[in-house]
Amino acid sequence: MTETIDTLAGLVAGGGVVVLSGAGLSTESGIPDYRGPSGAARRHTPMTYQVFTRDADARRRYWARSHLGWRVIARAAPNDGHRAVARLQRGGLVDGVITQNVDGLHTAAGSPRVVELHGRLDEVVCLDCGNQTSREELDRRLREANPGFDARVAAVNPDGDVDLADDEVARFRTVDCAFCRGGVLKPDVVFFGETVPAPRVARCFDMVQRARLLLVLGSSLTVMSGRRFVLRAAKLGIPVVIVNQGPTRGDGYAALTIDEPLGRLLPALADRTVGDGGLGVAPAGLTVVP
């Protein structure tokens, strides 16, 4: 892996890097990827915004599954990859992070300037009055409404959803907004079929357009939500580097693709470029042409 680190370090050492991260960065924190080596095939279709807002039974199914899955997400801690990205930021090489993840682990690792493209699972919003509360508070209310609800979890998905038997779902009780007393609660994340807020997308495009290098970490770039930033960088002539276990839909636009575990590669990259938080000088005598 030494040659790979040397090549990547030569590209990153010039600074001006924007990171685009996906679920693959969080697998070593115990949160599985959808499509990577740790991914497990879903047994059910992901909840869409349209179904969630229109169908009370679907909402109960979502909250029953998510209530159990949330415990896994809440226990997750940043891994060496998240911490390495934060080190690269402190060292002045990474200007900002765009993450497709909803686990909040970049921020927990100490990264500033993180745009959470799809929101955060630890925040809840009322669709009627707009009041925001913490997931911790909602978890407390759901536990009170469902004493003894501790169904066996077969699998957990990156969005905190789990596979759960229908009979378990049927006995779960949801709760409404405590502020307006009746409003529909939704995790403050972007569901399938829902649009990412335009100002958030604009901010991400601005970050990419100002970047010297776009570094993709742990994303298969299957959905356009993240791939559009790779397309924009390529259109502007900004080099793209993709580090992911397995092929991605952005590989054809990349100056360099690396198939390595992020938990090993990123700490080595941070050691090579910023050490304990230095200025990020490239290794002596290293010349890399992207």
Side-chain angles (χ1 to χ4, degrees), residues 17-22 25 82 85-86 89 94-100 106-107 111-117 203-204 207 215 217:
V17 178
V18 167
V19 165
L20 172 63
S21 70
L25 185 59
H82 295 109
V85 171
Q89 285 186 277
V94 170
D95 291 341
V97 176
I98 301 167
T99 184
Q100 300 170 85
H106 275 296
T107 301
S111 278
R113 302 182 301 281
V114 178
V115 178
E116 286 154 326
L117 186 65
R203 182 181 174 193
C204 293
M207 290 170 63
L215 178 60
L217 302 176

Side-chain angles (χ1 to χ4, degrees), residues 120-168:
R120 289 178 62 126
L121 268 179
D122 62 359
E123 297 173 349
V124 179
V125 62
C126 174
L127 297 180
D128 291 82
C129 71
N131 186 61
Q132 290 186 307
T133 55
S134 71
R135 185 62 180 267
E136 183 177 316
E137 170 62 17
L138 177 62
D139 184 67
R140 181 190 64 77
R141 295 181 60 211
L142 287 173
R143 286 175 185 267
E144 290 177 353
N146 297 275
F149 185 80
D150 193 22
R152 185 176 66 87
V153 174
V156 181
N157 295 304
D159 56 4
D161 196 7
V162 304
D163 294 326
L164 193 61
D166 289 343
D167 59 333
E168 298 286 2

